[in-house]
Amino acid sequence: MNDSSQRLSGIPRIHIQLMHKAIFLLALVTLVATCGPAAPSADVFAQYTGTTAGDLFGEPLAPAGDLNGDGHPDWLAGGTQRLTQKIQPGYVQALSGLGGEPLHTFHGHSGHDRFGTALISIEDVDGDGVREIAVGAPYANQGRPDAGSVYLFSGRTGSPLWTVHGERGGDGLGVALGPLGDLDQDGIPDLAVGALQPAMSPDRDAGPGYVLALSGATGEQLFLARGDEETRDFGRELAPLGDVDGDGLPDLAVSAPASQAVLYVSGRTGKTLQRLEDLGAGFGETLAATPDANGDTWPDLLVGAPLDSSKAPLAGAVHVFSGLDGSSLRVFRGTQRGERLGGSLAALNDLDADGIPEIAVARSGGGALRILSGAQGQELMRLEPTQEQHDFGAGLASAGSESGQHPPHLAVGFPGIGPKENSSGGLLIVVLKR
């Protein structure tokens, strides 16, 4: 291993650990941690890069669970390839969280289909004991332009299990994915998928959108929930909730950012249970489920509003809501003009020993990634990118180990959308400790 550490003025020593099998670039971020007895620390564990200039590798990220049985969390990273010079389909890699080697590589089927825009891992579908991999390609063209597609692959072998296509051209099926419970009681977990849909009139900036619930076993449609003029862009982001309505199945948070709304919908029927709205421009651009943030033992919800201008123009905000009743728990607002706080976010475990989970946030368009206290919003740690890591933090995902023997990990994408668009993207894996 290549092993280095550095003391910064007034800052505790931070250990940076580089795995020789996983590092392709040696220039890494600078980590800055807040002083104090409970200040968290971090190791930069690995760095991966994409394969093609402009592939935007690392913009979509998701935890994969432990696909290869080594006890370490693995990762899903997409390269949608929308800035490549040649028209080509997107790709997704499942990456070993320990050795760094690709476990599987998946490719789309049509040029600029944005295969990999949405990624999730769901519980075992095919009975082999390993989680599966779902991929969205909202601009896939399977006989209907931009109808979109969703693909489910075996997490063990990488073999395709099923594919579902959008019914109409322009549907954009696959823009978002979210896990559901076992809706059809077949013993196999199901999943939800969002669709964009075109605007219904020239004066609208987004279509109504819809969300499909699909059988994990077959891809068969289980329910359809549609947006309308009051919930435009419905299905842009999805995040799991607990069982809000008490019917025995987990429910779902669905964003409609063009209407500045987030809805809690039934995981059984798609019916709207609650509506959160009018809480700042861009409200609902990002969503993330978070562990219990208010002591009621219920998982809660993070909502990003990167265009919020309450404190300064486009400073952004991150809202924390009760996952049970939708009440507002906390709001953390950006203070700098153009900060766009909440442009990307991820929920973390408690790192400062106060019993409240922390939040990883980055601004839209890249910059420093910050770990914020989930209780007060103060900065606990900052990760500064190098000059080569363009749009740092555009992709964020967090995971723990399934064995429980390893600390939480954070994946940080830098897809290369910055001034040097000829570079491929990449991601870091950061191990967080307290």
Side-chain angles (χ1 to χ4, degrees), residues 125-421:
V125 166
D126 56 8
D128 62 8
V130 178
R131 297 175 67 90
E132 321 301 358
I133 297 165
V135 180
Y139 293 96
N141 179 0
Q142 299 294 325
R144 294 174 291 275
D146 299 339
S149 299
V150 178
Y151 306 82
L152 189 70
F153 299 96
S154 166
R156 179 181 292 276
T157 67
S159 300
L161 299 177
W162 51 254
T163 303
V164 173
H165 304 300
E167 292 187 356
R168 293 174 298 277
D171 269 8
L173 186 72
V175 69
L177 294 166
L180 292 172
D182 182 8
L183 272 65
D184 52 5
Q185 302 297 303
D186 63 356
I188 295 174
D190 304 312
L191 69 156
V193 54
L196 294 170
Q197 292 194 300
M200 299 179 69
S201 63
D203 61 338
R204 293 297 190 183
D205 58 355
Y210 64 84
V211 172
L212 289 180
L214 302 178
S215 163
T218 65
E220 178 184 0
Q221 179 179 316
L222 301 177
F223 73 67
L224 168 64
R226 293 188 181 277
D228 54 28
E229 281 298 296
E230 301 302 318
T231 54
R232 289 175 293 116
D233 221 10
F234 181 78
R236 169 70 66 169
E237 291 281 327
L238 305 173
L241 297 169
D243 181 12
V244 175
D245 56 3
D247 66 356
L249 288 175
D251 299 309
L252 191 68
V254 181
S255 78
S259 298
Q260 297 179 199
V262 173
L263 294 90
Y264 290 7
V265 304
S266 166
R268 184 182 296 277
T269 66
K271 180 181 177 181
T272 298
L273 304 174
Q274 297 184 51
R275 181 181 174 115
L276 318 172
E277 61 182 344
D278 297 328
L279 293 168
F283 181 75
E285 289 282 351
T286 52
L287 297 180
T290 182
D292 176 25
N294 62 346
D296 65 359
T297 72
W298 207 265
D300 296 312
L301 181 70
L302 304 178
V303 181
L307 305 182
D308 184 279
S309 297
S310 299
K311 289 287 184 72
L314 302 180
V318 174
H319 299 257
V320 187
F321 290 97
S322 165
L324 181 59
D325 61 16
S327 59
S328 176
L329 302 179
R330 300 173 191 89
V331 183
F332 306 124
R333 299 190 188 278
T335 58
Q336 304 296 319
R337 182 185 183 95
E339 184 178 350
R340 298 186 185 233
L341 185 70
S344 59
L345 53 81
L348 303 172
N349 292 330
D350 176 24
L351 298 175
D352 58 2
D354 65 357
I356 305 295
E358 321 310 347
I359 306 170
V361 296
R363 58 171 289 173
S364 300
L369 179 133
R370 300 157 62 200
I371 308 298
L372 303 183
S373 163
Q376 302 296 330
Q378 73 267 27
E379 185 175 296
L380 301 177
M381 182 186 302
R382 177 182 299 185
L383 287 79
E384 298 280 359
T386 67
Q387 292 183 348
E388 291 77 22
Q389 293 166 339
H390 302 303
D391 209 13
F392 188 73
L396 289 177
S398 60
S401 66
E402 294 186 6
S403 67
Q405 297 177 351
H406 305 287
H409 292 54
L410 178 67
V412 185
F414 48 95
I417 311 177
K420 296 182 180 179
E421 293 181 354

Side-chain angles (χ1 to χ4, degrees), residues 82-161:
R82 70 174 186 267
L83 294 183
T84 52
Q85 292 184 354
K86 295 182 179 179
I87 296 177
Q88 51 192 324
Y91 70 97
V92 171
Q93 288 191 330
L95 300 167
S96 168
L98 180 60
E101 69 275 6
L103 303 174
H104 307 297
T105 301
F106 310 102
H107 294 276
H109 298 286
S110 57
H112 285 178
D113 58 2
R114 300 198 188 176
F115 180 89
T117 291
L119 303 170
I120 62 166
S121 170
I122 66 171
E123 295 290 341
D124 179 28
V125 166
D126 56 8
D128 62 8
V130 178
R131 297 175 67 90
E132 321 301 358
I133 297 165
V135 180
Y139 293 96
N141 179 0
Q142 299 294 325
R144 294 174 291 275
D146 299 339
S149 299
V150 178
Y151 306 82
L152 189 70
F153 299 96
S154 166
R156 179 181 292 276
T157 67
S159 300
L161 299 177

Side-chain angles (χ1 to χ4, degrees), residues 67-87:
L67 299 178
N68 57 358
D70 62 3
H72 291 261
D74 301 317
W75 299 94
L76 303 175
T80 57
Q81 307 228 79
R82 70 174 186 267
L83 294 183
T84 52
Q85 292 184 354
K86 295 182 179 179
I87 296 177

Side-chain angles (χ1 to χ4, degrees), residues 40-86:
S41 63
D43 291 341
V44 176
F45 186 67
Q47 178 165 314
Y48 312 88
T49 58
T51 61
T52 307
D55 62 5
L56 304 186
F57 185 71
E59 185 177 29
L61 295 172
D66 182 10
L67 299 178
N68 57 358
D70 62 3
H72 291 261
D74 301 317
W75 299 94
L76 303 175
T80 57
Q81 307 228 79
R82 70 174 186 267
L83 294 183
T84 52
Q85 292 184 354
K86 295 182 179 179

